[in-house]
Amino acid sequence: MNIRQIKEQITCLDYLGKPLKKTRAGWYVYRCPWKEDKNPSLNVTPNGKVWKDLSTGATGGIIELVQTCLNTRDFSRVCAELDSSSFSMSSIVFDYEKKEEVETTAFHSFSLVPLQSRGLYAYLSKRHININIARQYLQEARYSFQPRDDGKFLYALAYPNDKGGCELRSEYYKGGTSPKGISTHLGKENAPTVVFEGFFDMLSFATLCGEVRHNYIVLNSIVNTPAAIEVLRSISGKVYLCLDNDEGGEKATRQMLEALPSAVDIRSRFAPAKDVNEYLCKTTTLSGSQPNR
């Protein structure tokens, strides 16, 4: 695909995916992928041909958008990015302090396949997750938000919950499909159960252990704490609470301890990191290898 074909066939909306909102004038609003953008400032015209960063005044089309996202002026890299079988970018919601979660219900197409995309494997490696462990729990979601006839799609890690919905994650996206619910992995007889907020923390914990040694429950959102408590009440073995070291994690942990006095809060083992994945990334970076725990 050359530059002329890119401009004719691909819009900024195709590359960015589902917007955060739409203005009264019909412009689509996103967070700028190339910077911290807590107050979304990237606007795209209704036809998707032009974008503008309201915070700096920078503007351009699809070529300039991809160049800015990739921090390159190399046209061959832009062509390679947009000529791939799928875009690595999707509905962009960034994780600076806390990702804003978007529940995705407007799919034009959606399918689950075994995990295979190199971009998703790279994302798991970036977060220092053991790939063999990840394969036990994750699938690959391939989806689009609008009709396409070119075979292209967006993709993300897909983690199923007990109700049939999925949590969807990529390096640039955090969302999910309905219905929302907890995820339980309780197949190990006589093993303790460890509770996490998100699946990346579960995978990080297993990576630190070197293998899956425990049963796991993942809230997928702290609003699902009551549902997890109901399941935990039926468990006779030891329960460890490993939620985030932040205000939300503290609140959910207190709620669980009130309902389950025998449960043990182990968050301090990973402090001052915010969560287990942050701890894993820092520990691995310092040691230069995957630590065991």
Side-chain angles (χ1 to χ4, degrees), residues 179-195:
K180 306 292 283 184
I182 65 171
S183 302
T184 58
H185 309 282
L186 305 175
K188 288 196 170 293
E189 190 174 354
N190 299 321
T193 299
V194 190
V195 184

Side-chain angles (χ1 to χ4, degrees), residues 13-278:
L13 298 175
D14 293 325
Y15 190 63
L16 294 173
K18 187 179 180 181
L20 296 176
K21 62 182 179 180
K22 188 176 183 179
T23 69
R24 291 182 179 179
W27 287 58
Y28 296 95
V29 180
Y30 298 85
R31 299 184 192 277
C32 287
W34 51 85
K35 64 180 180 180
E36 182 172 348
D37 196 18
K38 293 182 179 179
N39 297 312
S41 60
L42 181 62
N43 281 17
V44 179
T45 55
N47 65 7
K49 294 296 186 181
V50 177
W51 61 269
K52 183 174 183 179
D53 180 356
L54 299 183
S55 64
T56 64
T59 187
I62 180 62
I63 299 295
E64 292 77 16
L65 175 64
V66 179
Q67 286 179 323
T68 307
C69 287
L70 299 181
N71 191 26
T72 183
R73 312 312 289 178
D74 186 346
F75 287 107
S76 64
R77 283 196 61 195
V78 173
C79 292
E81 170 79 357
L82 295 177
D83 198 32
S84 62
S85 62
S86 61
F87 299 139
S88 61
M89 309 288 286
S90 58
S91 305
I92 298 181
V93 184
F94 294 89
D95 187 0
Y96 297 109
E97 295 183 1
K98 199 79 171 179
K99 282 184 179 177
E100 175 186 352
E101 185 166 351
V102 175
E103 184 176 350
T104 302
T105 58
F107 293 121
H108 174 73
S109 65
F110 183 90
S111 62
L112 294 174
V113 300
L115 188 59
Q116 56 192 270
S117 295
R118 287 180 295 176
L120 295 179
Y121 279 124
Y123 179 45
L124 289 167
S125 295
K126 182 177 180 180
R127 298 190 66 161
H128 299 276
I129 301 298
N130 181 296
I131 298 300
N132 291 326
I133 291 174
R135 287 198 190 104
Q136 298 179 46
Y137 298 97
L138 301 181
Q139 295 176 279
E140 178 176 315
R142 296 181 174 182
Y143 57 96
S144 65
F145 293 108
Q146 52 189 305
R148 305 191 64 94
D149 56 9
D150 55 9
K152 295 184 184 294
F153 51 83
L154 303 170
Y155 60 84
L157 300 170
Y159 175 65
N161 63 47
D162 291 358
K163 292 184 176 181
C166 284
E167 300 300 309
L168 302 176
R169 302 290 185 272
S170 70
E171 188 168 4
Y172 305 99
Y173 177 58
K174 179 176 182 179
T177 65
S178 297
K180 306 292 283 184
I182 65 171
S183 302
T184 58
H185 309 282
L186 305 175
K188 288 196 170 293
E189 190 174 354
N190 299 321
T193 299
V194 190
V195 184
F196 306 93
E197 282 191 39
F199 72 83
F200 264 111
D201 293 320
M202 178 194 71
L203 297 176
S204 299
F205 187 91
T207 296
L208 286 163
C209 291
E211 60 180 339
V212 178
R213 300 176 184 173
H214 306 80
N215 292 314
Y216 303 131
I217 292 179
V218 179
L219 301 182
N220 294 315
S221 169
I222 59 175
V223 302
N224 295 324
T225 300
I229 289 174
E230 289 304 308
V231 174
L232 290 166
R233 281 179 170 150
S234 66
I235 293 176
S236 58
K238 199 68 178 178
V239 173
Y240 296 101
L241 307 179
C242 194
L243 279 61
D244 291 0
N245 285 309
D246 60 11
E247 183 178 352
E250 175 66 25
K251 181 179 179 181
T253 299
R254 287 200 308 268
Q255 187 177 351
M256 287 189 171
L257 289 174
E258 289 174 1
L260 306 159
S262 64
V264 179
D265 178 9
I266 63 171
R267 292 177 301 149
S268 62
R269 299 185 184 183
F270 304 98
K274 182 181 75 67
D275 55 33
V276 187
N277 185 246
E278 182 177 298

